[in-house]
Amino acid sequence: MTDSWATFGADLHLETAGAAGLRAGLMDALREAVRTGRLAPGTRLPSSRSLAVDLGIARNTVADAYAELVAEGWLTARQGSGTRVARRAEPRRTVTRATRSRPVRSRPAHDLLPGSPDLSTFPRADWLKAARRALTTAPNDAFGYGDPRGRIELRTVLADYLARARGVHADPERIVICAGFVQALKLMGTVLRKRRVREVAVESYGLDVHWKLLADAGLRMPCLTVDGLGARTGELAGLRGVGAVLMTPAHQFPTGAPLHPDRRAAAVDWARGTGGLILEDDYDGEFRYDRQPVGALQGLDPERVVHLGTTSKSLAPGLRLGWMVLPGSLVEEVTEAKGLSDWSSSALEQLTLAEFIESGAYDRHVRSMRLRYRRRRDQLVAVLAQRAPDVRISGIAAGLHAVLELPEGSEPSVMRAAAWQGLALEGLSRFRHPQAPPGRDALVIGYGTPTDSAWAGTLEALLRVLS
């Protein structure tokens, strides 16, 4: 009887060996489970009949043990509510020298980290409506293993949406649904390596997690210089071993520069002339403010550009929903790699997103958030002009972040000041490629991250840091 599990409601594991007598052993095991926190306050215990059957002892033995532990205050018993663990104070943890000396990172009081939307604005009610409709109308085969490319309902709706909103030439048969950009890039790394590609060019500023994914696939990553016109795509001609390039053409991350039309054309010409591929990260293409929307690069040559998009900025990263619009020559290889990876994303989440887009709720949400983020951007620009006029701001025509230029050599001290103010943010150097030369000092401000209620206080904290 050293290992026993009850079958009433929740499993209950008790160690009863070593005690003199069945009742005493059961009581000791229950006390120990409560004392160590294995049985949390309020946990309902199995009935005396169920536990007796499970342990192979008399029911009266269990009932007597329960009654005595109730009298001692370990348990409570109420008619209709069963026997539960009493609401006792949780056991105190011993503080050792090691735990005392370990630094504890507290949550920052203010958050301006780039890369996240305002999560408090997730359209819960509309999403729930879409989820109910999707579940009600879901075909039976939606609950099977499905197509590694994803549900045809979502791929069809996405093809229409991307053509209308982003200028993408999309066919449902060429779309693969994935768990966000990270999985898409991982799949592309696998496929490129299998095609004997050895190098993928990247921008001189970007996310190290993306570079690591490519490195894990066995790919080398020379970098293209980024300036005020985006990546210098003319440098691709001098990179003889490169078979693909990863870019953020609509709104370079993190500098915020859109890729100049001449450089867009140069990238496509390079891909056509060499047989290379362009991996287009369209991470926040829906959010633009002071300019006409910049269409997706994929529209210039659908056979040479892989268009990668997600709901991470438009809705929430926790949904883990993204898509790849592929050249025809890549569909079979990517689908095979997807099938070997995780087969398919959640069918119900895909059907919900399809319903959400088709109903018009997605467009309404994007328009609403575009206005909200533009107001924040305008407030940031205005308050900097008034109270920190020496700070130049750039990269603000689109997206959810801005770049604040700093005096040369001041980025480290400003970052330390931010830490003292409890303000989480990133310096531009954090995103510089290891092969890129030292660049300008600046802050990357994610003004889309705070909630509305936190925005004013976060802005004040930033101003204190800059002063």
Side-chain angles (χ1 to χ4, degrees):
M1 287 191 299
T2 58
D3 294 299
S4 300
W5 290 265
T7 57
F8 180 86
D11 290 339
L12 179 61
H13 175 78
L14 295 174
E15 298 282 352
T16 58
L22 294 175
R23 184 167 65 90
L26 178 57
M27 290 174 60
D28 287 346
L30 286 168
R31 288 192 196 98
E32 182 65 16
V34 175
R35 184 182 296 112
T36 60
R38 275 204 312 111
L39 288 178
T43 300
R44 185 173 182 177
L45 299 182
S47 68
S48 57
R49 182 190 302 276
S50 297
L51 188 55
V53 170
D54 189 60
L55 297 176
I57 61 178
R59 180 184 179 186
N60 286 343
T61 301
V62 178
D64 289 346
Y66 277 2
E68 189 160 341
L69 291 173
V70 169
E72 293 178 5
W74 293 93
L75 307 178
T76 61
R78 186 175 301 172
Q79 185 69 29
S81 182
T83 303
R84 297 179 180 269
V85 176
R87 299 285 179 182
R88 305 168 58 87
E90 293 187 7
R92 298 182 63 182
R93 296 181 179 179
T94 304
V95 180
T96 65
R97 183 183 302 272
T99 57
R100 282 197 301 267
S101 62
R102 186 184 302 125
V104 178
R105 295 189 63 183
S106 59
R107 185 176 181 179
H110 309 288
D111 189 353
L112 285 174
L113 293 174
S116 176
D118 180 353
L119 300 179
S120 70
T121 62
F122 182 79
R124 298 171 189 248
D126 286 338
W127 186 262
L128 182 59
K129 291 177 184 176
R132 285 172 173 163
R133 289 194 294 267
L135 183 60
T136 301
T137 59
N140 291 336
D141 67 1
F143 302 99
Y145 288 105
D147 188 331
R149 292 175 298 175
R151 292 296 307 178
I152 185 60
E153 296 91 339
L154 178 55
R155 291 189 281 122
T156 300
V157 169
L158 273 175
D160 293 339
Y161 172 79
L162 292 173
R164 167 173 56 84
R166 300 296 299 125
V168 172
H169 294 282
D171 184 310
E173 299 303 311
R174 294 189 179 193
I175 294 178
V176 172
I177 307 301
C178 49
F181 179 82
V182 166
Q183 187 186 33
L185 187 58
K186 189 173 183 179
L187 291 171
M188 283 307 308
T190 300
V191 169
L192 289 172
R193 194 69 177 82
K194 192 173 180 180
R195 285 189 162 202
R196 301 187 182 280
V197 171
R198 295 294 181 264
E199 295 186 358
V200 175
V202 297
E203 295 166 320
S204 58
Y205 285 90
L207 286 172
D208 56 359
V209 64
H210 297 166
W211 301 332
K212 184 178 186 303
L213 286 172
L214 294 174
D216 288 346
L219 298 163
R220 294 185 295 273
M221 289 158 291
C223 65
L224 303 176
T225 306
V226 170
D227 59 23
L229 301 180
R232 295 179 181 174
T233 53
E235 296 177 359
L236 285 168
L239 301 176
R240 299 299 180 186
V242 167
V245 57
L246 172 63
M247 304 174 65
T248 50
H251 187 228
Q252 203 283 327
F253 185 86
T255 68
L259 188 62
H260 189 275
D262 290 345
R263 296 185 179 183
R264 291 163 66 93
V268 172
D269 287 345
W270 166 83
R272 289 170 176 167
T274 64
L277 289 170
I278 300 171
L279 310 183
E280 177 184 25
D281 179 3
D282 197 43
Y283 71 100
D284 64 357
E286 290 100 340
F287 298 111
R288 73 275 181 182
Y289 311 119
D290 300 329
R291 69 183 189 206
Q292 290 296 314
V294 177
L297 188 63
Q298 189 262 10
L300 297 180
D301 194 335
E303 296 305 322
R304 301 259 54 96
V305 181
V306 179
H307 181 82
L308 308 170
T310 79
T311 60
S312 295
K313 303 299 182 290
S314 57
L315 286 170
L319 291 179
R320 306 314 307 143
L321 284 171
W323 48 87
M324 313 168 70
V325 183
L326 300 165
S329 60
L330 276 176
V331 173
E332 185 176 345
E333 294 170 74
V334 173
T335 301
E336 181 183 3
K338 180 74 161 51
L340 294 174
S341 172
D342 70 347
W343 192 256
S344 64
S345 305
S346 166
L348 290 180
E349 295 293 339
Q350 293 181 59
L351 292 173
T352 299
L353 179 58
E355 175 65 34
F356 193 74
I357 295 174
E358 193 166 28
S359 69
Y362 187 79
D363 281 281
R364 291 193 299 271
H365 177 72
V366 167
R367 286 195 296 270
S368 172
M369 297 310 298
R370 190 182 296 145
L371 291 173
R372 183 188 300 264
Y373 294 139
R374 178 169 185 162
R375 284 195 296 269
R376 289 193 188 179
R377 185 212 61 171
D378 291 347
Q379 290 168 357
L380 175 63
V381 171
V383 77
L384 287 175
Q386 180 182 8
R387 297 173 57 181
D390 293 336
V391 176
R392 188 173 72 87
I393 186 169
S394 62
I396 57 173
L400 308 180
H401 73 275
V403 177
L404 273 56
E405 306 292 338
L406 299 174
E408 185 177 353
S410 65
E411 185 180 311
S413 62
V414 173
M415 293 298 295
R416 288 193 295 270
W420 278 107
Q421 292 289 341
L423 175 61
L425 46 73
E426 296 284 10
L428 183 60
S429 61
R430 159 74 174 76
F431 303 101
R432 190 166 60 241
H433 191 278
Q435 298 176 11
R440 65 192 196 272
D441 289 69
L443 299 177
V444 183
I445 302 299
Y447 57 81
T449 304
T451 62
D452 281 349
S453 60
W455 171 238
T458 303
L459 196 52
E460 282 296 322
L462 175 63
L463 291 169
R464 288 195 297 271
V465 169
L466 295 176
S467 65

PDB file of all heavy atoms in Angstrom, residues 226-246:
ATOM      1  N   VAL A 226      22.120  48.555 -42.930  1.00  0.00           N
ATOM      2  CA  VAL A 226      20.827  49.241 -42.874  1.00  0.00           C
ATOM      3  C   VAL A 226      21.072  50.725 -42.631  1.00  0.00           C
ATOM      4  O   VAL A 226      21.840  51.101 -41.745  1.00  0.00           O
ATOM      5  CB  VAL A 226      19.931  48.664 -41.761  1.00  0.00           C
ATOM      6  CG1 VAL A 226      18.705  49.542 -41.542  1.00  0.00           C
ATOM      7  CG2 VAL A 226      19.510  47.243 -42.096  1.00  0.00           C
ATOM      8  N   ASP A 227      20.433  51.585 -43.438  1.00  0.00           N
ATOM      9  CA  ASP A 227      20.509  53.031 -43.223  1.00  0.00           C
ATOM     10  C   ASP A 227      19.104  53.607 -43.287  1.00  0.00           C
ATOM     11  O   ASP A 227      18.111  52.879 -43.135  1.00  0.00           O
ATOM     12  CB  ASP A 227      21.460  53.687 -44.235  1.00  0.00           C
ATOM     13  CG  ASP A 227      21.034  53.449 -45.686  1.00  0.00           C
ATOM     14  OD1 ASP A 227      19.843  53.190 -45.933  1.00  0.00           O
ATOM     15  OD2 ASP A 227      21.904  53.528 -46.582  1.00  0.00           O
ATOM     16  N   GLY A 228      19.005  54.894 -43.528  1.00  0.00           N
ATOM     17  CA  GLY A 228      17.705  55.539 -43.526  1.00  0.00           C
ATOM     18  C   GLY A 228      16.782  55.131 -44.646  1.00  0.00           C
ATOM     19  O   GLY A 228      15.587  55.459 -44.621  1.00  0.00           O
ATOM     20  N   LEU A 229      17.292  54.407 -45.634  1.00  0.00           N
ATOM     21  CA  LEU A 229      16.462  53.926 -46.747  1.00  0.00           C
ATOM     22  C   LEU A 229      16.226  52.421 -46.672  1.00  0.00           C
ATOM     23  O   LEU A 229      15.789  51.806 -47.637  1.00  0.00           O
ATOM     24  CB  LEU A 229      17.141  54.274 -48.081  1.00  0.00           C
ATOM     25  CG  LEU A 229      17.398  55.772 -48.335  1.00  0.00           C
ATOM     26  CD1 LEU A 229      18.074  55.968 -49.685  1.00  0.00           C
ATOM     27  CD2 LEU A 229      16.106  56.570 -48.261  1.00  0.00           C
ATOM     28  N   GLY A 230      16.530  51.839 -45.513  1.00  0.00           N
ATOM     29  CA  GLY A 230      16.364  50.402 -45.348  1.00  0.00           C
ATOM     30  C   GLY A 230      17.657  49.664 -45.646  1.00  0.00           C
ATOM     31  O   GLY A 230      18.752  50.237 -45.644  1.00  0.00           O
ATOM     32  N   ALA A 231      17.554  48.377 -45.912  1.00  0.00           N
ATOM     33  CA  ALA A 231      18.743  47.570 -46.189  1.00  0.00           C
ATOM     34  C   ALA A 231      19.338  47.930 -47.540  1.00  0.00           C
ATOM     35  O   ALA A 231      18.619  48.186 -48.514  1.00  0.00           O
ATOM     36  CB  ALA A 231      18.379  46.091 -46.158  1.00  0.00           C
ATOM     37  N   ARG A 232      20.666  47.944 -47.601  1.00  0.00           N
ATOM     38  CA  ARG A 232      21.352  48.217 -48.864  1.00  0.00           C
ATOM     39  C   ARG A 232      21.394  46.931 -49.699  1.00  0.00           C
ATOM     40  O   ARG A 232      22.365  46.177 -49.686  1.00  0.00           O
ATOM     41  CB  ARG A 232      22.762  48.728 -48.588  1.00  0.00           C
ATOM     42  CG  ARG A 232      22.797  50.081 -47.881  1.00  0.00           C
ATOM     43  CD  ARG A 232      24.232  50.515 -47.626  1.00  0.00           C
ATOM     44  NE  ARG A 232      24.301  51.791 -46.929  1.00  0.00           N
ATOM     45  CZ  ARG A 232      25.424  52.332 -46.480  1.00  0.00           C
ATOM     46  NH1 ARG A 232      26.597  51.712 -46.680  1.00  0.00           N
ATOM     47  NH2 ARG A 232      25.403  53.491 -45.847  1.00  0.00           N
ATOM     48  N   THR A 233      20.329  46.701 -50.402  1.00  0.00           N
ATOM     49  CA  THR A 233      20.192  45.444 -51.136  1.00  0.00           C
ATOM     50  C   THR A 233      21.188  45.327 -52.284  1.00  0.00           C
ATOM     51  O   THR A 233      21.413  44.228 -52.801  1.00  0.00           O
ATOM     52  CB  THR A 233      18.768  45.295 -51.679  1.00  0.00           C
ATOM     53  OG1 THR A 233      18.428  46.477 -52.427  1.00  0.00           O
ATOM     54  CG2 THR A 233      17.775  45.136 -50.538  1.00  0.00           C
ATOM     55  N   GLY A 234      21.792  46.430 -52.690  1.00  0.00           N
ATOM     56  CA  GLY A 234      22.829  46.359 -53.719  1.00  0.00           C
ATOM     57  C   GLY A 234      24.025  45.539 -53.268  1.00  0.00           C
ATOM     58  O   GLY A 234      24.787  45.031 -54.103  1.00  0.00           O
ATOM     59  N   GLU A 235      24.201  45.381 -51.943  1.00  0.00           N
ATOM     60  CA  GLU A 235      25.316  44.594 -51.423  1.00  0.00           C
ATOM     61  C   GLU A 235      25.141  43.099 -51.692  1.00  0.00           C
ATOM     62  O   GLU A 235      26.089  42.330 -51.572  1.00  0.00           O
ATOM     63  CB  GLU A 235      25.463  44.841 -49.920  1.00  0.00           C
ATOM     64  CG  GLU A 235      25.841  46.282 -49.570  1.00  0.00           C
ATOM     65  CD  GLU A 235      25.906  46.520 -48.066  1.00  0.00           C
ATOM     66  OE1 GLU A 235      25.627  45.551 -47.306  1.00  0.00           O
ATOM     67  OE2 GLU A 235      26.225  47.651 -47.650  1.00  0.00           O
ATOM     68  N   LEU A 236      23.921  42.682 -52.028  1.00  0.00           N
ATOM     69  CA  LEU A 236      23.680  41.261 -52.269  1.00  0.00           C
ATOM     70  C   LEU A 236      24.534  40.730 -53.414  1.00  0.00           C
ATOM     71  O   LEU A 236      24.978  39.576 -53.396  1.00  0.00           O
ATOM     72  CB  LEU A 236      22.198  41.023 -52.584  1.00  0.00           C
ATOM     73  CG  LEU A 236      21.230  41.093 -51.399  1.00  0.00           C
ATOM     74  CD1 LEU A 236      19.787  41.145 -51.887  1.00  0.00           C
ATOM     75  CD2 LEU A 236      21.439  39.897 -50.478  1.00  0.00           C
ATOM     76  N   ALA A 237      24.770  41.568 -54.414  1.00  0.00           N
ATOM     77  CA  ALA A 237      25.539  41.121 -55.579  1.00  0.00           C
ATOM     78  C   ALA A 237      26.957  40.712 -55.202  1.00  0.00           C
ATOM     79  O   ALA A 237      27.557  39.864 -55.873  1.00  0.00           O
ATOM     80  CB  ALA A 237      25.579  42.227 -56.637  1.00  0.00           C
ATOM     81  N   GLY A 238      27.478  41.269 -54.126  1.00  0.00           N
ATOM     82  CA  GLY A 238      28.833  40.934 -53.717  1.00  0.00           C
ATOM     83  C   GLY A 238      28.915  39.760 -52.767  1.00  0.00           C
ATOM     84  O   GLY A 238      30.019  39.348 -52.375  1.00  0.00           O
ATOM     85  N   LEU A 239      27.778  39.209 -52.373  1.00  0.00           N
ATOM     86  CA  LEU A 239      27.745  38.065 -51.444  1.00  0.00           C
ATOM     87  C   LEU A 239      27.512  36.795 -52.266  1.00  0.00           C
ATOM     88  O   LEU A 239      26.377  36.355 -52.452  1.00  0.00           O
ATOM     89  CB  LEU A 239      26.649  38.264 -50.395  1.00  0.00           C
ATOM     90  CG  LEU A 239      26.779  39.534 -49.535  1.00  0.00           C
ATOM     91  CD1 LEU A 239      25.585  39.674 -48.608  1.00  0.00           C
ATOM     92  CD2 LEU A 239      28.074  39.498 -48.721  1.00  0.00           C
ATOM     93  N   ARG A 240      28.589  36.213 -52.759  1.00  0.00           N
ATOM     94  CA  ARG A 240      28.492  35.134 -53.741  1.00  0.00           C
ATOM     95  C   ARG A 240      27.846  33.864 -53.201  1.00  0.00           C
ATOM     96  O   ARG A 240      27.205  33.131 -53.938  1.00  0.00           O
ATOM     97  CB  ARG A 240      29.890  34.805 -54.269  1.00  0.00           C
ATOM     98  CG  ARG A 240      30.584  35.967 -54.970  1.00  0.00           C
ATOM     99  CD  ARG A 240      29.797  36.433 -56.175  1.00  0.00           C
ATOM    100  NE  ARG A 240      30.453  37.548 -56.858  1.00  0.00           N
ATOM    101  CZ  ARG A 240      29.927  38.214 -57.864  1.00  0.00           C
ATOM    102  NH1 ARG A 240      28.721  37.862 -58.311  1.00  0.00           N
ATOM    103  NH2 ARG A 240      30.558  39.215 -58.433  1.00  0.00           N
ATOM    104  N   GLY A 241      28.001  33.585 -51.929  1.00  0.00           N
ATOM    105  CA  GLY A 241      27.482  32.315 -51.414  1.00  0.00           C
ATOM    106  C   GLY A 241      26.067  32.375 -50.891  1.00  0.00           C
ATOM    107  O   GLY A 241      25.534  31.377 -50.389  1.00  0.00           O
ATOM    108  N   VAL A 242      25.434  33.536 -50.981  1.00  0.00           N
ATOM    109  CA  VAL A 242      24.101  33.716 -50.391  1.00  0.00           C
ATOM    110  C   VAL A 242      23.020  33.161 -51.309  1.00  0.00           C
ATOM    111  O   VAL A 242      22.983  33.470 -52.501  1.00  0.00           O
ATOM    112  CB  VAL A 242      23.851  35.211 -50.096  1.00  0.00           C
ATOM    113  CG1 VAL A 242      22.379  35.456 -49.779  1.00  0.00           C
ATOM    114  CG2 VAL A 242      24.725  35.670 -48.942  1.00  0.00           C
ATOM    115  N   GLY A 243      22.104  32.342 -50.714  1.00  0.00           N
ATOM    116  CA  GLY A 243      21.007  31.783 -51.489  1.00  0.00           C
ATOM    117  C   GLY A 243      19.655  32.346 -51.119  1.00  0.00           C
ATOM    118  O   GLY A 243      18.656  32.064 -51.782  1.00  0.00           O
ATOM    119  N   ALA A 244      19.602  33.167 -50.060  1.00  0.00           N
ATOM    120  CA  ALA A 244      18.347  33.777 -49.626  1.00  0.00           C
ATOM    121  C   ALA A 244      18.679  34.984 -48.766  1.00  0.00           C
ATOM    122  O   ALA A 244      19.805  35.136 -48.274  1.00  0.00           O
ATOM    123  CB  ALA A 244      17.480  32.783 -48.846  1.00  0.00           C
ATOM    124  N   VAL A 245      17.683  35.854 -48.578  1.00  0.00           N
ATOM    125  CA  VAL A 245      17.857  37.027 -47.719  1.00  0.00           C
ATOM    126  C   VAL A 245      16.593  37.218 -46.887  1.00  0.00           C
ATOM    127  O   VAL A 245      15.476  37.084 -47.388  1.00  0.00           O
ATOM    128  CB  VAL A 245      18.172  38.292 -48.549  1.00  0.00           C
ATOM    129  CG1 VAL A 245      17.087  38.570 -49.585  1.00  0.00           C
ATOM    130  CG2 VAL A 245      18.357  39.504 -47.630  1.00  0.00           C
ATOM    131  N   LEU A 246      16.773  37.476 -45.604  1.00  0.00           N
ATOM    132  CA  LEU A 246      15.662  37.734 -44.694  1.00  0.00           C
ATOM    133  C   LEU A 246      15.554  39.240 -44.487  1.00  0.00           C
ATOM    134  O   LEU A 246      16.520  39.882 -44.079  1.00  0.00           O
ATOM    135  CB  LEU A 246      15.902  37.033 -43.347  1.00  0.00           C
ATOM    136  CG  LEU A 246      14.924  37.352 -42.213  1.00  0.00           C
ATOM    137  CD1 LEU A 246      13.514  36.893 -42.565  1.00  0.00           C
ATOM    138  CD2 LEU A 246      15.392  36.703 -40.912  1.00  0.00           C
TER     139      LEU A 246
END
